[in-house]
Amino acid sequence: QAAQKLEEAITYQPTLQALKKLAVVLVALKKDTYAIEILERTLGLKDLAAQVRFELHKSCGNYCLRLKRLAEAESHYRRALDIHSSADEVRCNLATMLLQAGRTLDAKRSFQDAIASNPNNPKACIGLGSAFLAEGDPRSAHDVFLKALEININEPTALFYLIKCAYELKSYAKAEAVVKVFSETQPVSASLLYSLAGLQFHLGKLYEARESCNKILSIASDHTGANDLIRVIER
C-alpha cells in the first residue's frame, strides 16, 4: 500500500523525498531491480546536492552488487568515489565487488585504499585478508585477520579465517590468545571451545586443552572431537 501511494504521488510530482522513500519500500518488498530504477531516475533530478548524489550512487551500487550486476555496481561505486574519494565504506564495497568478479589484484588495492582512509575499518581488513587468501598468501591474510580482531573482537568471520590460517601456517599462539578472549565475550559454544582446545593442544598446553574439552563435554557430552582429543592427551 505504501508503494502504491508513493507511486501515485510521484506520478504527479516526482520529488526527491518521495522517490527515496519509494526505493526504501521497494527494497523492503525485495524488489531491488525496481528500486535501482527509481534511484537512477532520482539521479536525473536537477540541482541535487553532492552528498545526495553520493548517497544515491552508493545505494545503487549496493543493490546492484546484491543482484550480482557487477559492472553496474562498479560504475555507481566509482561515481560515488568521484564525489567523496575518501569514503572507506564505498571503497570496501567496491573491493568486495572486484573480488566477486575475480579481479583479485584490483580488489586488494581497493581494500588497502579503504584501510588508508580508515585504519579502524574491520570489514576492509577482513576483505583484504580474503584477497590475500585468493592469492595464496596465508601469512599476510593471517596478519590482517588478526588486525580486524584487534579493532573489533566480535568479528566471527575474521576469527574463522584466522584459525584456518593458523593451522595452515602451523603458527598457533596469536590465534589461541584471540580465541580465548573471543570466547569470553560470547555465549558458551562447543564449536568455539573446540577450536580453542585444538590450538592449545598444538601449543603443548595440554592441561588447558583438557579443561577446554571438559567445558565442551559439560554442554555436549557426546561431542566426538572433545572425547577424541582427551584420549589423545591422556596417551
Side-chain angles (χ1 to χ4, degrees):
Q1 289 178 333
Q4 183 180 349
K5 294 296 183 183
L6 285 164
E7 285 176 330
E8 289 172 359
I10 288 164
T11 300
Y12 293 102
Q13 189 174 6
T15 64
L16 172 63
Q17 184 179 21
L19 287 163
K20 287 174 68 177
K21 283 184 177 180
L22 177 57
V24 170
V25 171
L26 291 170
V27 170
L29 292 170
K30 302 188 184 304
K31 296 183 177 181
D32 288 10
T33 298
Y34 189 16
I36 293 167
E37 292 174 8
I38 292 298
L39 291 176
E40 289 180 336
R41 180 180 172 186
T42 307
L43 282 162
L45 296 176
K46 293 182 179 179
D47 303 321
L48 288 178
Q51 182 61 33
V52 172
R53 194 170 293 278
F54 168 81
E55 293 294 341
L56 289 171
H57 280 302
K58 181 176 77 170
S59 295
C60 282
N62 291 344
Y63 300 149
C64 286
L65 180 60
R66 196 154 66 191
L67 293 173
K68 308 297 183 185
R69 290 161 54 174
L70 302 186
E72 294 171 72
E74 179 176 7
S75 175
H76 281 295
Y77 286 143
R78 292 198 183 281
R79 292 174 75 178
L81 289 169
D82 286 340
I83 299 168
H84 291 309
S85 61
S86 62
D88 61 293
E89 181 185 354
V90 176
R91 287 201 176 278
C92 195
N93 291 347
L94 172 61
T96 299
M97 172 256 124
L98 293 167
L99 199 58
Q100 288 186 17
R103 294 161 58 184
T104 306
L105 183 60
D106 291 336
K108 187 170 73 170
R109 288 171 178 162
S110 190
F111 282 126
Q112 288 169 332
D113 288 341
I115 293 169
S117 293
N118 179 9
N120 293 318
N121 184 333
K123 301 298 183 186
C125 293
I126 293 169
L128 182 57
S130 299
F132 280 129
L133 285 180
E135 288 185 327
D137 184 357
R139 169 53 62 192
S140 296
H142 173 280
D143 293 345
V144 290
F145 288 132
L146 184 62
K147 181 179 178 182
L149 289 159
E150 288 171 350
I151 296 167
N152 181 9
I153 191 64
N154 296 311
E155 289 287 353
T157 300
L159 188 71
F160 172 82
Y161 283 109
L162 178 68
I163 295 168
K164 183 176 184 293
C165 291
Y167 274 95
E168 189 169 345
L169 296 166
K170 294 182 170 50
S171 176
Y172 308 103
K174 291 181 179 179
E176 187 260 349
V178 171
V179 173
K180 197 169 185 178
V181 174
F182 185 90
S183 66
E184 293 168 356
T185 69
Q186 302 296 316
V188 177
S189 161
S191 60
L192 183 60
L193 287 170
Y194 185 59
S195 295
L196 178 60
L199 293 166
Q200 290 168 333
F201 174 77
H202 283 288
L203 286 167
K205 297 181 176 182
L206 301 185
Y207 176 79
E208 290 90 338
R210 173 74 183 260
E211 287 297 298
S212 295
C213 287
N214 286 336
K215 289 179 183 177
I216 295 168
L217 297 175
S218 71
I219 58 175
S221 59
D222 59 346
H223 194 285
T224 303
N227 282 306
D228 288 346
L229 186 55
I230 287 175
R231 282 193 287 271
V232 172
I233 292 169
E234 291 178 344
R235 285 179 185 170

